[in-house]
Amino acid sequence: MSNTPWVRHLLNEARRSLALARRYWVETLLSLGFVFSLFGGLVFAVLKASGQSLDSGQADGLITGFALWMFASGLAHGCAKEITEETQQRTLEQLQLAPLSLERLLAVRLLLETAVGLVLLVLTLALIALLTEGRVQLSAPALSLAVLGAPAMAGLGYALAGLSLLVKRGELLMMAAYPLVIGLVSLPALPLSGLSALPYTLAAAAARAASGGDAFPREVWGWVALNSAVFLALGLVVFRACLRQARQLGVLGHI
């Protein structure tokens, strides 16, 4: 019975997301088209700049990294995007009356965002596997590592959401975070080094290795799980501190 409110809110948020997608179907299609055109443009640009063909395999790691970036970016920007949209619609203060706290309501929406992102990740990796003729594999370990590292990106998302409560232009904050996420996904965190301690870097590096059929130490799984737990906790601490500050300053929901 204690899980009933969570299930009910999850279903309600799913219905809300579907209703918004249907109401603004043009924007939904444009956003999907933008993502895949960005993917195709990146592949073409990399191959054109390097003077190599797709069959050479030189761009496989970069292409796989792009798929992981799309997944990680959705997690890192999900909570901040919700805060920004609710602020623009002047409904953020009304959410304070919801049965779930703002933190938990964002968690419900983030679960849905993760599910959609995982579907897109599977489709993108399947497309990459087709384009690379099997050099990049749609493997269970790669997907598992991407999901296992997801809480670290969620923690970053909570921190951005907290900062969005205190600033007027949350969109600029999210735009500034895009290069950060690209860097975290792209860093060479294997073999284990100081870079592996950054959020999601080890998960992304291990997922790239797994998709390419490369071996990596078994202890990587444990380090990815620990990394996720630490950065999720830190992100929640930052979010709660910013939420308290926003309430004290009386700027919660102000445009």
Side-chain angles (χ1 to χ4, degrees), residues 20-54:
L20 289 175
R22 289 178 59 187
R23 179 180 299 178
Y24 305 107
W25 61 271
V26 175
E27 289 84 348
T28 302
L29 291 178
L30 286 176
S31 62
L32 289 175
F34 171 77
V35 168
F36 285 103
S37 62
L38 186 62
F39 167 72
L42 175 70
V43 174
F44 177 79
V46 170
L47 295 178
K48 190 72 174 178
S50 61
Q52 298 171 347
S53 65
L54 187 63

Short mmCIF file of all heavy atoms in Angstrom, two decimals, residues 20-54:
data_model
loop_
_atom_site.label_atom_id
_atom_site.label_comp_id
_atom_site.label_asym_id
_atom_site.label_seq_id
_atom_site.Cartn_x
_atom_site.Cartn_y
_atom_site.Cartn_z
N LEU A 20 0.74 15.83 -23.56
CA LEU A 20 1.54 16.95 -24.07
C LEU A 20 2.17 16.61 -25.42
O LEU A 20 2.25 17.46 -26.31
CB LEU A 20 2.62 17.31 -23.06
CG LEU A 20 2.14 17.98 -21.76
CD1 LEU A 20 3.30 18.18 -20.81
CD2 LEU A 20 1.47 19.31 -22.05
N ALA A 21 2.63 15.35 -25.56
CA ALA A 21 3.23 14.93 -26.83
C ALA A 21 2.20 14.96 -27.96
O ALA A 21 2.52 15.34 -29.11
CB ALA A 21 3.83 13.54 -26.70
N ARG A 22 0.96 14.58 -27.65
CA ARG A 22 -0.09 14.60 -28.67
C ARG A 22 -0.53 16.03 -28.97
O ARG A 22 -0.77 16.39 -30.12
CB ARG A 22 -1.29 13.79 -28.18
CG ARG A 22 -1.06 12.29 -28.14
CD ARG A 22 -2.27 11.56 -27.61
NE ARG A 22 -3.45 11.82 -28.43
CZ ARG A 22 -4.69 11.41 -28.12
NH1 ARG A 22 -4.87 10.73 -26.99
NH2 ARG A 22 -5.69 11.67 -28.91
N ARG A 23 -0.62 16.86 -27.94
CA ARG A 23 -1.06 18.24 -28.15
C ARG A 23 -0.03 19.01 -28.96
O ARG A 23 -0.37 19.79 -29.86
CB ARG A 23 -1.29 18.93 -26.80
CG ARG A 23 -1.72 20.39 -26.94
CD ARG A 23 -1.93 21.03 -25.58
NE ARG A 23 -2.96 20.35 -24.82
CZ ARG A 23 -3.30 20.70 -23.57
NH1 ARG A 23 -2.65 21.68 -22.95
NH2 ARG A 23 -4.27 20.04 -22.93
N TYR A 24 1.25 18.80 -28.65
CA TYR A 24 2.32 19.49 -29.35
C TYR A 24 3.09 18.51 -30.21
O TYR A 24 4.31 18.39 -30.12
CB TYR A 24 3.24 20.18 -28.33
CG TYR A 24 2.53 21.11 -27.39
CD1 TYR A 24 2.31 20.76 -26.06
CD2 TYR A 24 2.03 22.33 -27.85
CE1 TYR A 24 1.63 21.62 -25.20
CE2 TYR A 24 1.35 23.19 -27.00
CZ TYR A 24 1.16 22.83 -25.67
OH TYR A 24 0.48 23.67 -24.82
N TRP A 25 2.36 17.81 -31.08
CA TRP A 25 2.95 16.73 -31.85
C TRP A 25 3.99 17.25 -32.85
O TRP A 25 4.95 16.57 -33.18
CB TRP A 25 1.87 15.94 -32.59
CG TRP A 25 1.06 16.75 -33.57
CD1 TRP A 25 -0.08 17.45 -33.31
CD2 TRP A 25 1.33 16.93 -34.96
NE1 TRP A 25 -0.52 18.07 -34.45
CE2 TRP A 25 0.31 17.75 -35.48
CE3 TRP A 25 2.33 16.48 -35.82
CZ2 TRP A 25 0.27 18.14 -36.81
CZ3 TRP A 25 2.29 16.85 -37.16
CH2 TRP A 25 1.26 17.67 -37.63
N VAL A 26 3.79 18.48 -33.33
CA VAL A 26 4.77 19.05 -34.27
C VAL A 26 6.12 19.21 -33.58
O VAL A 26 7.17 18.84 -34.12
CB VAL A 26 4.27 20.40 -34.80
CG1 VAL A 26 5.36 21.04 -35.67
CG2 VAL A 26 2.99 20.23 -35.61
N GLU A 27 6.09 19.77 -32.35
CA GLU A 27 7.33 19.93 -31.60
C GLU A 27 7.97 18.59 -31.28
O GLU A 27 9.20 18.45 -31.29
CB GLU A 27 7.07 20.71 -30.31
CG GLU A 27 6.75 22.18 -30.50
CD GLU A 27 5.28 22.43 -30.80
OE1 GLU A 27 4.56 21.44 -31.09
OE2 GLU A 27 4.86 23.60 -30.76
N THR A 28 7.13 17.58 -30.99
CA THR A 28 7.65 16.25 -30.69
C THR A 28 8.39 15.66 -31.89
O THR A 28 9.51 15.14 -31.76
CB THR A 28 6.50 15.30 -30.28
OG1 THR A 28 5.82 15.86 -29.14
CG2 THR A 28 7.05 13.93 -29.92
N LEU A 29 7.77 15.76 -33.06
CA LEU A 29 8.41 15.24 -34.27
C LEU A 29 9.67 16.03 -34.62
O LEU A 29 10.68 15.46 -35.03
CB LEU A 29 7.42 15.28 -35.44
CG LEU A 29 6.24 14.31 -35.37
CD1 LEU A 29 5.32 14.50 -36.57
CD2 LEU A 29 6.72 12.87 -35.30
N LEU A 30 9.60 17.36 -34.44
CA LEU A 30 10.77 18.17 -34.74
C LEU A 30 11.94 17.85 -33.81
O LEU A 30 13.10 17.82 -34.24
CB LEU A 30 10.42 19.66 -34.63
CG LEU A 30 9.57 20.24 -35.76
CD1 LEU A 30 9.21 21.69 -35.47
CD2 LEU A 30 10.30 20.13 -37.10
N SER A 31 11.64 17.60 -32.54
CA SER A 31 12.71 17.28 -31.60
C SER A 31 13.36 15.95 -31.94
O SER A 31 14.59 15.81 -31.88
CB SER A 31 12.17 17.27 -30.17
OG SER A 31 11.17 16.27 -30.01
N LEU A 32 12.53 14.95 -32.31
CA LEU A 32 13.10 13.66 -32.71
C LEU A 32 13.90 13.79 -34.00
O LEU A 32 14.99 13.22 -34.13
CB LEU A 32 11.97 12.63 -32.91
CG LEU A 32 11.27 12.13 -31.64
CD1 LEU A 32 10.11 11.24 -32.01
CD2 LEU A 32 12.25 11.40 -30.74
N GLY A 33 13.36 14.56 -34.94
CA GLY A 33 14.10 14.78 -36.18
C GLY A 33 15.41 15.52 -35.94
O GLY A 33 16.42 15.22 -36.58
N PHE A 34 15.39 16.46 -35.00
CA PHE A 34 16.61 17.20 -34.68
C PHE A 34 17.68 16.27 -34.12
O PHE A 34 18.86 16.36 -34.49
CB PHE A 34 16.30 18.31 -33.68
CG PHE A 34 17.52 18.98 -33.13
CD1 PHE A 34 18.22 19.91 -33.89
CD2 PHE A 34 17.98 18.69 -31.85
CE1 PHE A 34 19.35 20.53 -33.39
CE2 PHE A 34 19.10 19.30 -31.35
CZ PHE A 34 19.79 20.23 -32.10
N VAL A 35 17.27 15.36 -33.22
CA VAL A 35 18.23 14.45 -32.60
C VAL A 35 18.90 13.57 -33.64
O VAL A 35 20.14 13.44 -33.68
CB VAL A 35 17.54 13.59 -31.53
CG1 VAL A 35 18.45 12.44 -31.08
CG2 VAL A 35 17.16 14.44 -30.33
N PHE A 36 18.10 12.97 -34.52
CA PHE A 36 18.67 12.04 -35.50
C PHE A 36 19.40 12.78 -36.63
O PHE A 36 20.36 12.25 -37.19
CB PHE A 36 17.59 11.12 -36.06
CG PHE A 36 17.17 10.05 -35.09
CD1 PHE A 36 15.98 10.16 -34.39
CD2 PHE A 36 17.98 8.95 -34.85
CE1 PHE A 36 15.61 9.18 -33.48
CE2 PHE A 36 17.62 7.97 -33.95
CZ PHE A 36 16.43 8.08 -33.25
N SER A 37 18.96 13.98 -36.95
CA SER A 37 19.72 14.76 -37.95
C SER A 37 21.05 15.20 -37.36
O SER A 37 22.06 15.27 -38.07
CB SER A 37 18.91 15.97 -38.40
OG SER A 37 18.65 16.85 -37.33
N LEU A 38 21.06 15.50 -36.05
CA LEU A 38 22.32 15.83 -35.39
C LEU A 38 23.26 14.64 -35.40
O LEU A 38 24.47 14.78 -35.62
CB LEU A 38 22.04 16.27 -33.94
CG LEU A 38 23.22 16.78 -33.12
CD1 LEU A 38 23.81 18.03 -33.76
CD2 LEU A 38 22.78 17.07 -31.69
N PHE A 39 22.71 13.46 -35.19
CA PHE A 39 23.50 12.24 -35.25
C PHE A 39 24.10 12.04 -36.64
O PHE A 39 25.30 11.81 -36.80
CB PHE A 39 22.63 11.05 -34.87
CG PHE A 39 23.24 9.71 -35.19
CD1 PHE A 39 24.29 9.22 -34.45
CD2 PHE A 39 22.75 8.95 -36.23
CE1 PHE A 39 24.85 7.99 -34.74
CE2 PHE A 39 23.30 7.71 -36.52
CZ PHE A 39 24.36 7.24 -35.78
N GLY A 40 23.25 12.16 -37.66
CA GLY A 40 23.75 12.00 -39.03
C GLY A 40 24.75 13.07 -39.41
O GLY A 40 25.76 12.78 -40.07
N GLY A 41 24.50 14.31 -38.98
CA GLY A 41 25.44 15.38 -39.28
C GLY A 41 26.79 15.18 -38.64
O GLY A 41 27.83 15.48 -39.24
N LEU A 42 26.78 14.65 -37.40
CA LEU A 42 28.05 14.39 -36.71
C LEU A 42 28.85 13.33 -37.45
O LEU A 42 30.06 13.48 -37.65
CB LEU A 42 27.78 13.95 -35.27
CG LEU A 42 29.01 13.53 -34.48
CD1 LEU A 42 29.89 14.74 -34.18
CD2 LEU A 42 28.63 12.84 -33.19
N VAL A 43 28.18 12.25 -37.83
CA VAL A 43 28.88 11.17 -38.54
C VAL A 43 29.48 11.70 -39.84
O VAL A 43 30.66 11.45 -40.15
CB VAL A 43 27.90 10.01 -38.84
CG1 VAL A 43 28.58 8.96 -39.71
CG2 VAL A 43 27.40 9.39 -37.55
N PHE A 44 28.70 12.46 -40.59
CA PHE A 44 29.18 12.99 -41.87
C PHE A 44 30.35 13.94 -41.65
O PHE A 44 31.35 13.90 -42.38
CB PHE A 44 28.05 13.71 -42.60
CG PHE A 44 28.46 14.37 -43.89
CD1 PHE A 44 28.62 13.61 -45.04
CD2 PHE A 44 28.70 15.73 -43.95
CE1 PHE A 44 29.01 14.20 -46.22
CE2 PHE A 44 29.08 16.33 -45.12
CZ PHE A 44 29.24 15.57 -46.27
N ALA A 45 30.24 14.82 -40.64
CA ALA A 45 31.29 15.81 -40.38
C ALA A 45 32.59 15.15 -39.97
O ALA A 45 33.67 15.53 -40.43
CB ALA A 45 30.83 16.79 -39.31
N VAL A 46 32.49 14.13 -39.10
CA VAL A 46 33.71 13.45 -38.65
C VAL A 46 34.39 12.74 -39.80
O VAL A 46 35.62 12.82 -39.98
CB VAL A 46 33.36 12.45 -37.52
CG1 VAL A 46 34.55 11.55 -37.21
CG2 VAL A 46 32.94 13.20 -36.27
N LEU A 47 33.62 12.04 -40.60
CA LEU A 47 34.19 11.31 -41.73
C LEU A 47 34.76 12.27 -42.78
O LEU A 47 35.82 12.02 -43.36
CB LEU A 47 33.13 10.41 -42.36
CG LEU A 47 32.61 9.27 -41.47
CD1 LEU A 47 31.52 8.48 -42.20
CD2 LEU A 47 33.74 8.34 -41.05
N LYS A 48 34.07 13.38 -42.99
CA LYS A 48 34.54 14.35 -43.98
C LYS A 48 35.83 15.01 -43.52
O LYS A 48 36.78 15.20 -44.31
CB LYS A 48 33.45 15.42 -44.18
CG LYS A 48 33.71 16.35 -45.36
CD LYS A 48 33.49 15.64 -46.68
CE LYS A 48 33.58 16.62 -47.84
NZ LYS A 48 33.42 15.93 -49.15
N ALA A 49 35.90 15.36 -42.22
CA ALA A 49 37.08 16.05 -41.70
C ALA A 49 38.30 15.14 -41.67
O ALA A 49 39.43 15.58 -41.90
CB ALA A 49 36.80 16.60 -40.31
N SER A 50 38.06 13.85 -41.39
CA SER A 50 39.19 12.92 -41.30
C SER A 50 39.57 12.32 -42.64
O SER A 50 40.62 11.67 -42.76
CB SER A 50 38.84 11.79 -40.32
OG SER A 50 37.71 11.06 -40.77
N GLY A 51 38.70 12.49 -43.63
CA GLY A 51 38.97 11.93 -44.95
C GLY A 51 38.89 10.42 -44.98
O GLY A 51 39.50 9.78 -45.84
N GLN A 52 38.12 9.84 -44.05
CA GLN A 52 38.00 8.39 -43.98
C GLN A 52 36.56 7.98 -44.26
O GLN A 52 35.65 8.80 -44.26
CB GLN A 52 38.42 7.89 -42.59
CG GLN A 52 39.88 8.18 -42.26
CD GLN A 52 40.20 7.89 -40.82
OE1 GLN A 52 39.31 7.69 -40.02
NE2 GLN A 52 41.49 7.87 -40.50
N SER A 53 36.39 6.70 -44.49
CA SER A 53 35.06 6.17 -44.74
C SER A 53 34.52 5.52 -43.48
O SER A 53 35.25 5.24 -42.54
CB SER A 53 35.10 5.14 -45.88
OG SER A 53 35.86 4.00 -45.49
N LEU A 54 33.21 5.28 -43.47
CA LEU A 54 32.58 4.64 -42.31
C LEU A 54 33.12 3.23 -42.11
O LEU A 54 33.18 2.73 -40.99
CB LEU A 54 31.06 4.61 -42.52
CG LEU A 54 30.22 4.13 -41.33
CD1 LEU A 54 30.39 5.08 -40.14
CD2 LEU A 54 28.76 4.04 -41.72
#
